[in-house]
Amino acid sequence: MSVTTKISRGDGTALIENDPWLEPYAGKLRARFDYYRHVRGKIEANGGLMGTISQGHKYFGFNRGELWEKPGIWYREWAPSPKVIQLRLIGDFNGWSNLGEPLVRDGFGIWARFFPDEQFADKLKHKTCVKLVVTQEDSTTFDRIPAYIRRVVQDTGSNNFSGQLWMPEKPYEFENSSPVKSIGKQGEAGLRIYEAHIGMAQEEGKVGTFNEFTDKILPRIKKLGYNAIQLMAIHEHPYYGSFGYHVSNFFAPSSRFGTPDDLKRLIDTAHGAGIRVIMDIIHSHAVKNTREGLNMFDGTEYQYFHAGPRGHHSAWDSKLFDYSKYEVQRFLLSNVRYWLEEYQFDGFRFDGVTSMLYQDHGLGKPFNGYDDYFGGNIDADALAYLQLANELAHEVKPECITIAEDVSGMVGLARPLAEGGLGFDYRLSMGVPDYWIKILKEKKDEQWNLGEIFHMLLNRRQREKHIGYAESHDQALVGDKTLAFRMMDQEMYWNMNDPSKSLVVSRGIALHKIIRLLTFSLGGEGYLNFMGNEFGHPEWIDFPREGNNYSYHFARRQWSLADNPFLAYSKLQAFDAALQKLDDQYHILTDPLIEQLLLHEENKQLIYRRGPLVFVVNLHPTNSYTDWQIPVPDPADYQVVLNTDAQQFAGPGVVKDPEKFPWLNESAGTRKQSLRIYLPARSAQVLAPVAGQTYRTAK
């Protein structure tokens, strides 16, 4: 039966067409899909996915409106606990008096109050700071920050936070729409992501701002050639050192970095430069803080989260959402829509998907069999939520990009909902950076198994798009090391001006480029790099904390290293830009044609093609190959389009590239035609058919 037929049946089993090993799990796939349709059906009966369930931010919190034809501000809050007898709004408009403005409760646990302009125009206005006082039947009172608040600020001279009304008289007007040019489809350039953290993006030892990122960092990203940025730590979070993953206020961009308008300007400017902006969205858990976050909001632990141990993530020390509840679904789905519409983000990288999918959060699981993806350990409500979130995101913005951070390899994660998948556009190839670290730790490069490397980089689910990367922010944190620092360590402090003076540095630079070239060309249908790693940023990331005397020294990026033409950092940066250009010119990331042409373990020789390009890699630490006859897929002359040995990329520069390599009508390997090239030790060349000649015509 064809995929089309199964999709038309709508039974969720079309995934089997791509993966016959799923046949024994057809019933499980149907059950998974039926549960999604069950949840979706309840939503459809109440206005549909684009209805009230994704417009909570337009109802709850503070919104302009009318009552009896009088203009003003509506404030609504969900606090269903029967023990709550009163909610009062307090703030600087009433001197923070607990005798503030009371709200009225309806039968669904929703409290509301209308504040007419004729009474409150001078009180509840733009930048007014507010909190909510909750009173329980035993007279216990506590403060909370409104759940749907759109801005939160830290109180001067303290660690306390307050909500702030963000209602400027003149809302920000975007000048640029999202880039029109499509990416990520076959025949087009691939998705090339520059992962960035606003606060640590500056060289000074401080917290950087949205405006500084816009003015100083965006031009760098544009020059490097990336077509997307992924912004971390956008949700408000009380602890800076959490890297933004312990979220307190889901609708508020972090005030550490500036105002909501500053963030909008950043996105607007990026769009004007042809760069998409992806948000690192955290719907997998929330900070356990009560004064700043959602925990115990109405005095119960089960309002937004699961009660008891199921509501606590033991490894992250955070709270876990109950995705079965309508109001939780509304809160999170509205959050998805809000960031797309209000800030014009172009998509999301969903964090912690593995934790969401499994009731044990995947902790310690090997995930080496399909039984792990079905059965009693799956959180069916979380899985259905992710399907709904993907459907909504693409309904709101058809060109939206959604990426899943999942280490488990969940079946159908990045396949369409109609097939029974979860609807993500991409999944992160999380095993790739772990593999590079493993072999760097355990083996010298002369012991590397090229066949294993080639297989590892291609070991991914068929017909699902992946984001390949050699390292992300995870590998740069304190306690770990970037690839550059792992290979060169303290030698980077002394010999980056002349790598030839240090065998450690010359080796590290050579492998840094080859690892990136292999990962870029084989690791996925998209690519990701964390800021600074492209030029081999030294040292690690360590946010201010008690253990480092609250220093910002390691929570910054040393761009001056990459800008110094006398240091090898600048040349590694140039190599990274050349990789991006390679995809712009030849669209290799979206080309499905990948083929091994030659592999010789003893000589450390690897040749393969992706699309029209031929990648020739020599990982031998000492042997250079002169007049090496290599197979090529097409009877055409070839030219070098990228050479890791080049001096412009911090190589020795011993190869003098000819204008072209004439093809020889002589067999090599499994091919009838070949070339002769010179390839030094620990170097690689990328060859392209000379323009105007035919390729892909011979085997």
Side-chain angles (χ1 to χ4, degrees):
M1 187 174 290
S2 70
V3 172
T4 304
T5 304
K6 288 203 171 187
I7 289 175
S8 67
R9 284 173 50 194
D11 66 353
T13 61
L15 295 172
I16 297 172
E17 290 295 317
N18 298 330
D19 187 355
W21 291 97
L22 284 172
E23 188 66 54
Y25 302 93
K28 299 287 189 180
L29 288 170
R30 288 191 190 94
R32 186 171 90 173
F33 192 62
D34 285 345
Y35 191 72
Y36 154 72
R37 291 195 299 184
H38 165 70
V39 176
R40 182 73 167 80
K42 290 195 295 184
I43 292 172
E44 201 61 37
N46 289 281
L49 201 54
M50 292 293 285
T52 56
I53 198 164
S54 64
Q55 298 186 72
H57 55 293
K58 298 180 181 180
Y59 182 75
F60 291 102
F62 298 89
N63 290 283
R64 296 288 308 172
E66 292 185 352
L67 179 64
W68 300 317
E69 298 184 351
K70 292 183 178 181
I73 294 174
W74 277 103
Y75 172 47
R76 297 182 181 92
E77 199 70 65
W78 178 56
S81 172
K83 294 183 179 181
V84 174
I85 62 171
Q86 192 177 76
L87 296 187
R88 289 179 178 271
L89 184 68
I90 65 172
D92 52 18
F93 69 93
N94 77 339
W96 298 99
S97 169
N98 281 358
L99 301 176
E101 306 299 330
L103 280 66
V104 178
R105 175 178 179 155
D106 68 11
F108 300 97
I110 295 174
W111 301 72
R113 172 73 183 268
F114 181 72
F115 297 92
D117 286 346
E118 61 186 15
Q119 291 179 254
F120 290 92
D122 294 331
K123 296 180 179 179
L124 290 181
K125 56 186 178 180
H126 182 50
K127 294 188 177 182
T128 295
C129 288
V130 295
K131 284 186 179 180
L132 190 67
V133 175
V134 181
T135 303
Q136 295 185 308
E137 59 186 2
D138 62 358
S139 298
T140 301
T141 63
F142 45 84
D143 295 349
R144 293 289 181 263
I145 294 176
Y148 281 79
I149 197 74
R150 301 187 182 193
R151 179 163 165 80
V152 173
V153 294
Q154 190 166 0
D155 300 340
T156 303
S158 77
N159 291 322
N160 297 324
F161 291 78
S162 298
Q164 186 181 66
L165 268 62
W166 191 259
M167 293 181 166
E169 290 185 14
K170 185 179 179 182
Y172 185 92
E173 294 184 9
F174 285 86
E175 297 179 0
N176 303 293
S177 57
S178 298
V180 175
K181 186 177 180 181
S182 184
I183 57 174
K185 298 177 182 178
Q186 189 173 341
E188 301 169 346
L191 178 62
R192 306 191 302 272
I193 302 171
Y194 197 84
E195 185 185 33
H197 183 283
I198 299 296
M200 55 171 288
Q202 303 305 310
E203 184 144 3
E204 298 85 356
K206 64 172 188 175
V207 178
T209 67
F210 290 127
N211 284 334
E212 287 175 320
F213 190 93
T214 302
D215 297 335
K216 298 180 181 180
I217 311 305
L218 268 181
R220 304 184 72 95
I221 299 170
K222 173 68 174 177
K223 187 176 181 180
L224 281 169
Y226 287 86
N227 53 30
I229 55 175
Q230 180 179 301
L231 295 181
M232 306 174 63
I234 294 301
H235 296 291
E236 186 62 83
H237 48 290
Y239 178 46
Y240 185 49
S242 75
F243 230 139
Y245 289 118
H246 278 190
V247 174
S248 53
N249 313 102
F250 286 77
F251 290 83
S254 179
S255 59
R256 287 184 182 87
F257 311 141
T259 70
D261 284 1
D262 294 340
L263 174 57
K264 291 177 181 179
R265 174 177 173 260
L266 187 162
I267 297 169
D268 196 10
T269 306
H271 287 167
I275 298 172
R276 288 164 173 79
V277 187
I278 297 168
M279 177 181 171
D280 204 351
I281 198 167
I282 320 298
H283 284 181
S284 49
H285 63 136
V287 72
K288 70 176 185 180
N289 301 29
T290 54
R291 297 193 68 177
E292 295 91 359
L294 297 173
N295 188 22
M296 303 290 289
F297 188 87
D298 68 351
T300 66
E301 63 175 343
Y302 51 81
Q303 180 185 358
Y304 284 95
F305 310 110
H306 288 289
R310 190 178 176 187
H312 180 75
H313 197 296
S314 59
W316 296 345
D317 195 24
S318 54
K319 301 301 293 181
L320 298 168
F321 287 105
D322 182 351
Y323 302 99
S324 69
K325 287 187 174 182
Y326 178 85
E327 288 299 346
V328 173
Q329 294 170 358
R330 174 149 67 170
F331 182 82
L332 295 174
L333 290 173
S334 298
N335 197 239
V336 168
R337 186 169 182 176
Y338 168 77
W339 291 109
L340 290 175
E341 292 184 336
E342 180 70 20
Y343 286 87
Q344 297 192 17
F345 275 99
D346 299 288
F348 303 104
R349 178 261 203 188
F350 279 77
D351 176 72
V353 167
T354 307
S355 176
M356 297 173 70
L357 290 174
Y358 307 95
Q359 293 189 36
D360 65 2
H361 315 302
L363 298 174
K365 286 278 187 181
F367 294 105
N368 51 16
Y370 280 5
D371 287 340
D372 291 332
Y373 305 130
F374 303 99
N377 189 34
I378 296 296
D379 188 331
D381 293 303
L383 194 150
Y385 167 71
L386 289 170
Q387 291 173 308
L388 293 170
N390 275 297
E391 184 177 8
L392 173 67
H394 292 96
E395 182 75 18
V396 172
K397 199 166 193 173
E399 292 296 319
C400 181
I401 298 164
T402 58
I403 304 167
E405 188 218 26
D406 170 50
V407 298
S408 75
M410 168 56 76
V411 171
L413 190 71
R415 291 303 299 170
L417 295 172
E419 296 180 17
L422 274 68
F424 285 97
D425 297 298
Y426 295 88
R427 63 195 309 160
L428 291 175
S429 289
M430 299 186 69
V432 173
D434 291 342
Y435 177 78
W436 285 125
I437 290 174
K438 177 180 172 62
I439 65 172
L440 282 169
K441 280 183 176 180
E442 298 178 357
K443 297 179 181 179
K444 298 178 180 178
D445 54 290
E446 51 263 40
Q447 298 172 322
W448 290 0
N449 185 300
L450 296 186
E452 182 182 88
I453 292 173
F454 189 79
H455 172 75
M456 174 60 195
L457 290 171
L458 295 180
N459 185 22
R460 52 184 181 267
R461 290 203 176 277
Q462 296 301 305
R463 298 193 66 195
E464 293 194 38
K465 292 192 292 186
H466 293 68
I467 302 293
Y469 59 107
E471 53 185 341
S472 69
H473 70 273
D474 285 328
Q475 288 72 43
L477 289 168
V478 67
D480 207 335
K481 292 182 180 180
T482 63
L483 294 181
F485 206 49
R486 186 174 296 281
M487 291 186 288
M488 295 179 275
D489 210 81
Q490 62 181 353
E491 291 277 326
M492 299 183 77
Y493 299 137
W494 320 113
N495 294 305
M496 291 299 278
N497 62 328
D498 187 357
S500 64
K501 290 182 178 179
S502 168
L503 292 177
V504 171
V505 170
S506 60
R507 169 188 178 269
I509 287 175
L511 292 181
H512 195 271
K513 291 178 288 186
I514 292 175
I515 287 172
R516 273 167 162 67
L517 180 65
L518 290 168
T519 305
F520 188 87
S521 58
L522 294 173
E525 293 73 30
Y527 181 73
L528 177 142
N529 166 70
F530 179 68
M531 64 176 185
N533 287 355
E534 71 277 5
F535 65 80
H537 198 287
E539 301 173 336
W540 47 78
I541 299 166
D542 190 11
F543 283 93
R545 58 186 175 85
E546 185 177 1
N548 63 16
N549 293 319
Y550 298 99
S551 170
Y552 287 87
H553 179 75
F554 293 108
R556 61 193 181 103
R557 298 285 86 180
Q558 300 180 60
W559 305 111
S560 58
L561 297 176
D563 293 340
N564 188 333
F566 300 106
L567 298 178
Y569 297 106
S570 65
K571 297 175 174 61
L572 289 177
Q573 178 175 259
F575 180 77
D576 193 79
L579 285 180
Q580 313 311 312
K581 186 177 180 181
L582 203 64
D583 181 58
D584 269 333
Q585 290 181 318
Y586 298 99
H587 302 163
I588 60 169
L589 288 177
T590 60
D591 200 312
L593 180 55
I594 300 176
E595 181 183 11
Q596 188 182 115
L597 300 175
L598 182 145
L599 177 65
H600 196 295
E601 291 290 357
E602 185 177 349
N603 292 337
K604 299 301 174 192
Q605 299 168 340
L606 172 64
I607 304 174
Y608 60 92
R609 74 181 299 185
R610 182 157 194 182
L613 302 184
V614 175
F615 295 78
V616 189
V617 181
N618 175 15
L619 262 171
H620 202 285
T622 57
N623 290 354
S624 298
Y625 299 106
T626 305
D627 205 28
W628 181 22
Q629 189 170 2
I630 66 169
V632 289
D634 305 304
D637 297 341
Y638 281 76
Q639 60 186 353
V640 176
V641 292
L642 188 62
N643 176 15
T644 68
D645 174 75
Q647 288 182 329
Q648 70 189 91
F649 303 138
V654 297
V655 176
K656 306 304 178 187
D657 299 332
E659 187 174 323
K660 67 178 181 179
F661 295 105
W663 74 280
L664 305 172
N665 193 18
E666 299 175 9
S667 297
T670 60
R671 294 309 172 105
K672 296 179 179 179
Q673 58 280 330
S674 57
L675 305 174
R676 291 186 181 275
I677 70 168
Y678 168 51
L679 194 63
R682 284 198 185 116
S683 73
Q685 294 180 17
V686 183
L687 311 177
V690 174
Q693 298 193 51
T694 303
Y695 54 89
R696 292 195 193 176
T697 57
K699 275 282 187 184

